[in-house]
Amino acid sequence: MITMKDIHKTYANGVTALNGVNINIDQGEFVYVVGPSGAGKSTFIRLIYREVKPTDGTIVVNDTDLSSLKEKKVPFLRRNVGVVFQDFKLLPKLSVYENIAFALEVIEESPRNIRIRVMDVLEMVGLKNKARFIPDELSGGEQQRVSIARAIVNRPKIVIADEPTGNLDPDTSWEIMRIFEEINAKGTTMIMATHSKEIVNTVKKRVIAVEDGLIVRDEHRGEYGYEA
Ligand code: ADP
Ligand code: ADP
């Protein structure tokens, strides 16, 4: 599903973010990515949806070798990889409905299918009654649920979340976790970078710890392993 072989990433300013990462993640796994700030977690995550290109090494996602993937093929990759950000990244002038439908319009789904699928994912995240609202009219937790709905409406095989609960209070964070578990239970691979010791130590999953650009720990049902 996701394989990285000896991945190195040095940014244009000379900072080396990853320094020889090897990993294999199977379909249907739920993986936390943990580690101190600046360790390379975001870089690791951004490689998977080709926001970042490796300086060296091989990365294969869904049988596609990203090292040789042509720019114009990137949108096809992104259809199979849903992404959720800490700061939601919703389009402020569009309604909840439109924010989600957008992802389907660009792949030219029929209007009827768009309607069915948008309402379907809104139901799943519990926001059917807020389809006409704009992001500013929603709480942070609701906005994150919209961004999750947007991430899954294409039915991707992989969902990636970079500190998805970083801006949310604990109760809201647990709601978001429950939705991720539900998505994972349907067979979607979930990869989540997080600083939440409480979540990682309570909802036990595979834990990959990144420090100084290297994977220093990879445990089945692991612990967070750092002070909160
Ligand atoms: P984390 O997500 O664990 O905080 P990052 O992957 O964001 O780690 O960052 C790893 C290192 O790479 C840090 O030193 C960071 O400053 C640097 N870095 C991240 N993004 C960029 C960028 N776009 N350009 C230059 N350096 C970057
Ligand atoms: P995006 O692709 O999301 O625009 P970039 O890779 O361009 O992200 O990085 C985000 C921003 O962070 C850019 O403006 C980048 O230049 C800047 N940046 C530069 N140096 C660093 C650094 N050391 N750590 C984190 N971000 C950095």
Side-chain angles (χ1 to χ4, degrees):
M1 165 100 304
I2 299 171
T3 305
M4 293 189 194
K5 282 194 189 128
D6 204 22
I7 287 286
H8 293 255
K9 174 63 188 180
T10 301
Y11 285 104
N13 62 359
V15 173
T16 294
L18 294 176
N19 204 6
V21 164
N22 292 285
I23 196 83
N24 197 56
I25 297 173
D26 288 330
Q27 178 68 46
E29 283 198 72
F30 194 127
V31 181
Y32 294 119
V33 181
V34 305
S37 288
K41 303 182 295 296
S42 291
T43 303
F44 174 82
I45 275 200
R46 290 157 113 200
L47 281 163
I48 300 168
Y49 61 101
R50 219 340 171 83
E51 181 69 20
V52 161
K53 274 197 215 175
T55 316
D56 211 348
T58 334
I59 170 167
V60 178
V61 175
N62 285 331
D63 298 324
T64 303
D65 183 346
L66 303 198
S67 334
S68 59
L69 187 69
K70 297 242 168 31
E71 272 327 305
K72 63 176 189 224
K73 294 275 174 74
V74 170
F76 293 92
L77 166 78
R78 302 249 169 99
R79 265 174 232 178
N80 276 315
V81 185
V83 187
V84 175
F85 303 95
Q86 177 171 3
D87 59 357
F88 324 135
K89 296 200 193 298
L90 299 173
L91 297 167
K93 290 186 175 151
L94 298 188
S95 70
V96 164
Y97 184 94
E98 291 161 342
N99 261 283
I100 301 165
F102 193 69
L104 295 173
E105 278 155 8
V106 297
I107 63 165
E108 296 177 349
E109 270 291 341
S110 71
R112 183 173 174 273
N113 274 345
I114 290 178
R115 217 190 135 64
I116 292 169
R117 282 167 69 173
V118 172
M119 292 319 280
D120 219 38
V121 289
L122 277 176
E123 166 113 69
M124 180 176 173
V125 300
L127 283 176
K128 234 176 159 175
N129 57 339
K130 299 207 167 160
R132 289 170 187 281
F133 286 45
I134 59 164
D136 263 353
E137 296 170 327
L138 303 177
S139 69
E142 287 172 332
Q143 291 186 52
Q144 193 56 299
R145 285 191 269 151
V146 175
S147 91
I148 294 170
R150 177 185 57 186
I152 62 173
V153 74
N154 271 328
R155 300 177 186 150
K157 295 197 177 92
I158 304 170
V159 170
I160 289 177
D162 197 352
E163 304 232 20
T165 64
N167 287 341
L168 305 175
D169 61 60
D171 284 351
T172 312
S173 299
W174 286 115
E175 285 171 24
I176 297 299
M177 262 314 284
R178 235 159 265 131
I179 295 170
F180 285 147
E181 286 198 272
E182 208 178 316
I183 292 168
N184 178 243
K186 291 179 180 164
T188 308
T189 307
M190 265 301 316
I191 300 172
M192 171 173 161
T194 184
H195 282 294
S196 175
K197 182 179 184 175
E198 213 194 336
I199 288 176
V200 174
N201 289 350
T202 307
V203 183
K204 290 298 188 86
K205 305 288 183 190
R206 181 174 176 185
V207 174
I208 294 172
V210 181
E211 289 178 27
D212 282 334
L214 287 169
I215 293 179
V216 294
R217 184 156 61 88
D218 181 358
E219 296 166 341
H220 178 64
R221 296 177 60 79
E223 294 273 335
Y224 182 69
Y226 302 95
E227 287 314 307

